[in-house]
Amino acid sequence: MEPGDAARLGPGWAVRVLPPKLLLLSLLLPLLLGRGLRAGAGASSSGAVAEDSSAMEELATEKEAEESHRQDSVSLLTFILLLTLTILTIWLFKHRRVRFLHETGLAMIYGLIVGVILRYGTPATSGRDKSLSCTQEDRAFSTLLVNVSGKFFEYTLKGEISPGKINSVEQNDMLRKVTFDPEVFFNILLPPIIFHAGYSLKKRHFFRNLGSILAYAFLGTAVSCFIIGNLMYGVVKLMKIVGQLSDKFYYTDCLFFGAIISATDPVTVLAIFNELHADVDLYALLFGESVLNDAVAIVLSSSIVAYQPAGLNTHAFDAAAFFKSVGIFLGIFSGSFTMGAVTGVVTALVTKFTKLHCFPLLETALFFLMSWSTFLLAEACGFTGVVAVLFCGITQAHYTYNNLSVESRSRTKQLFEVLHFLAENFIFSYMGLALFTFQKHVFSPIFIIGAFVAIFLGRAAHIYPLSFFLNLGRRHKIGWNFQHMMMFSGLRGAMAFALAIRDTASYARQMMFTTTLLIVFFTVWIIGGGTTPMLSWLNIRVGVDPDQDPPPNNDSFQVLQGDGPDSAGGNRTKQESAWIFRLWYSFDHNYLKPILTHSGPPLTTTLPAWCGLLARCLTSPQVYDNQEPLREEDSDFILTEGDLTLTYGDSAVTANGSSGSHTASTSLEGSRRTKGSSEEVLERDLGMGDQKLSSRGTPLVFPLQENA
């Protein structure tokens, strides 16, 4: 074919014959273009692979985040279902009048069941953990930034793992999710429990037994701590001899265990007491001891941790370090007490000098936030939030409660009661769950048995001797049946558990936590379930109205009778025996109540004349209009060791029996005003055969016997 001619090769095909130059170019061009295209395709394909890899990583990260969110929801849902099931079972038990198991015991049982299911019924996830050696570092870091292929990831410290358990680190993500940070218990769950204890305190019976309660809470807890600590140190020495101790366990660790396990929480016993209306004095002794005992135990444990002797041996006895720890104890306790009281006073002033009572929702919200912030403020300042929020609750109940509107009073009572119920049952549910989900248990049979014996001896050593010495100065003796019941009621609960789980880094602390968990189980189930039979066996009276005092012939209450000079001398003796409390009540009623609340006498009648301007500024206008008795529920009546005193307005009316007739003597405490018409009405009432007094619709009958 000639160049430029076309030849038909078949249907639809044609070839043009090109010149030689063009033919050569046509042959080389595809080769050059092919090589360039292959190079460009290679570069574009590598970029596409990198983009695909990055997209896959982002997709995997999103899937992990979604999975983590789902597991978080499931873990919280698990506890909500546990609480729901507990509430329904509680209703069934109350409906059937079942008292052998308390609601906290039920919560623990359900927690145990769920813990077993999570431990043995959920599959372990694929292992993604890898140990990295940092031999050049001599300490652990709270946060680590790890460079993985140019990307930085942040890791936080969760705790130390013993070398023997390095290969058995938990690979089940679900079990990891249901293991809460211990700070959740302290900052979220404990404040409503402790505040409710102070806010719902029955001040009338509490202050009547205040001396005994303080002795049991402070001296008793200290005695119990040192007895348990020394006994457990002997147990640790025995474990070392028989080869059952695999790591260090110092004397200070034993004292720390004695402090946290001395925190009693007889919630089961008190609930049964409240349901059966057991003796009010016994209830006040147990409740008051447990409330203050928790505060003392946490401050005592902090002081033991702060014990740092000088020299190489940091666990030897050092007198200077000992007294420093005592000073830390006193400083933390007094500082926490002051902070809680000041917060309550500030809240009282805000509610008094503002119109918040016109907006009950805002008033309740402010009350809630101020009360909860007391705990966090104390912790942030280095004090103990438990002590601060306890005394904040007592101060709020004594002062702020009087300034609240009717709606806010009801709301605050119900709000903290519900929070207390849910938080307490949540903690007990978590206790049951933790027996199977916690990964650092150290079970030592010798240590566990020794701990049970030690807490029994420690409880006995502070109940019976202290009761003996207290009875030397008490007119109303603490009977043997009361002492046996107090000995029996030394349950351990939420506070001991929270203190034990707060630090589980070392071998000793892990053993303490495991033992504390078992002690709580035993005391709640066995001792809590035996409360009702024990009340019957000890012949402790039940069915008592908590707002009514025992009859005159009862050992725990007595209206003295007498006449002539002996009677007057007896009254002086009785008033002198309670002079500290009377002095405080007079100061509180005449000065603090008018300053912080809308009740009490006007400050213009109690403060000096030169303070007239200040008195008029601080006195609420309602004080001049409200001439009725104080609205305070529990402080109207002041009961001393043997006489009955009714505080009404600014005067005290004391009823005494005489040989020929009934007389009523009035005394003016800290007030400049004379006796008013209200006191005259009371005196006319006291002139009748049976002395009847009425406080907020509750009739109180105090028969006065006549001598034949």
Side-chain angles (χ1 to χ4, degrees), residues 34-49:
R35 181 175 298 176
L37 288 174
R38 281 195 300 270
S44 61
S45 63
S46 62
V49 170

Side-chain angles (χ1 to χ4, degrees), residues 102 104-105 108 185-186 190 193-194 259-270 290 293-294 297 420 423-432 455 459 489-502 512-525 527-528:
H102 186 248
T104 54
M108 294 173 70
F185 293 98
F186 265 80
L190 274 184
I193 296 176
I194 303 300
I260 64 174
I261 209 63
S262 295
T264 59
D265 186 17
V267 57
T268 305
V269 176
L270 293 176
S290 66
N293 163 275
D294 289 346
H420 164 264
E424 192 167 56
N425 282 277
F426 184 93
I427 290 179
F428 279 95
S429 299
Y430 186 79
M431 288 184 196
I455 63 173
R459 183 72 178 170
S489 303
L491 284 76
R492 270 64 177 177
M495 180 57 68
F497 172 79
L499 289 174
I501 200 176
R502 198 173 190 182
M512 293 179 202
F513 173 73
T514 303
T515 306
T516 301
L517 203 58
L518 295 177
I519 290 173
V520 172
F521 287 164
F522 177 83
T523 55
V524 170
W525 288 338
I527 297 180

Side-chain angles (χ1 to χ4, degrees), residues 338-388:
T338 303
M339 188 166 291
V342 168
T343 307
V345 167
V346 170
T347 310
L349 291 174
V350 171
T351 54
K352 177 184 177 181
F353 291 105
T354 60
K355 298 289 186 179
L356 276 174
H357 60 85
C358 299
F359 307 94
L361 179 61
L362 300 180
E363 190 178 39
T364 304
L366 178 68
F367 183 92
F368 174 80
L369 294 176
M370 290 291 290
S371 302
W372 200 305
S373 63
T374 305
F375 183 93
L376 301 177
L377 179 63
E379 292 289 333
C381 294
F383 296 110
T384 300
V386 171
V387 180

Side-chain angles (χ1 to χ4, degrees), residues 321-539:
F322 172 77
F323 286 109
K324 181 180 178 181
S325 297
V326 173
I328 291 174
F329 173 85
L330 297 176
I332 292 178
F333 196 94
S334 59
S336 303
F337 165 79
T338 303
M339 188 166 291
V342 168
T343 307
V345 167
V346 170
T347 310
L349 291 174
V350 171
T351 54
K352 177 184 177 181
F353 291 105
T354 60
K355 298 289 186 179
L356 276 174
H357 60 85
C358 299
F359 307 94
L361 179 61
L362 300 180
E363 190 178 39
T364 304
L366 178 68
F367 183 92
F368 174 80
L369 294 176
M370 290 291 290
S371 302
W372 200 305
S373 63
T374 305
F375 183 93
L376 301 177
L377 179 63
E379 292 289 333
C381 294
F383 296 110
T384 300
V386 171
V387 180
V389 79
L390 170 63
F391 287 100
C392 176
I394 296 175
T395 307
Q396 302 277 44
H398 192 61
Y399 298 114
T400 311
Y401 184 81
N402 294 295
N403 300 334
L404 300 179
S405 61
V406 177
E407 295 86 349
S408 296
R409 293 185 190 182
S410 176
R411 286 177 179 176
T412 54
K413 288 282 188 183
Q414 295 175 359
L415 173 63
F416 281 101
E417 186 176 5
V418 171
L419 291 176
H420 164 264
F421 172 81
L422 293 177
E424 192 167 56
N425 282 277
F426 184 93
I427 290 179
F428 279 95
S429 299
Y430 186 79
M431 288 184 196
L433 200 70
L435 187 63
F436 291 96
T437 59
F438 187 72
Q439 296 304 301
K440 302 175 183 178
H441 282 303
V442 177
F443 291 94
S444 174
I446 298 178
F447 191 86
I448 294 171
I449 296 174
F452 274 99
V453 175
I455 63 173
F456 177 82
L457 295 178
R459 183 72 178 170
H462 99 256
I463 290 295
Y464 295 114
L466 278 180
S467 299
F468 171 78
F469 288 109
L470 288 172
N471 282 336
L472 296 178
R474 283 178 62 101
R475 184 173 185 84
H476 311 146
K477 309 298 182 185
I478 303 175
W480 284 105
N481 55 346
F482 279 22
Q483 296 180 38
H484 295 329
M485 194 67 214
M486 294 180 68
M487 169 68 191
F488 179 80
S489 303
L491 284 76
R492 270 64 177 177
M495 180 57 68
F497 172 79
L499 289 174
I501 200 176
R502 198 173 190 182
D503 183 7
T504 55
S506 64
Y507 168 82
R509 298 298 175 88
Q510 293 166 9
M511 187 183 295
M512 293 179 202
F513 173 73
T514 303
T515 306
T516 301
L517 203 58
L518 295 177
I519 290 173
V520 172
F521 287 164
F522 177 83
T523 55
V524 170
W525 288 338
I526 305 302
I527 297 180
T531 301
T532 304
M534 185 62 67
L535 285 172
S536 176
W537 184 64
L538 293 176
N539 295 322

Side-chain angles (χ1 to χ4, degrees), residues 61 115 150 205 210 263 287 418 424 430 457 460 465 552 603 650 690-691:
T61 303
H205 306 291
L210 182 60
F287 181 77
V418 171
E424 192 167 56
Y430 186 79
L457 295 178
L603 289 173
D650 298 314
D690 283 341
Q691 312 304 322

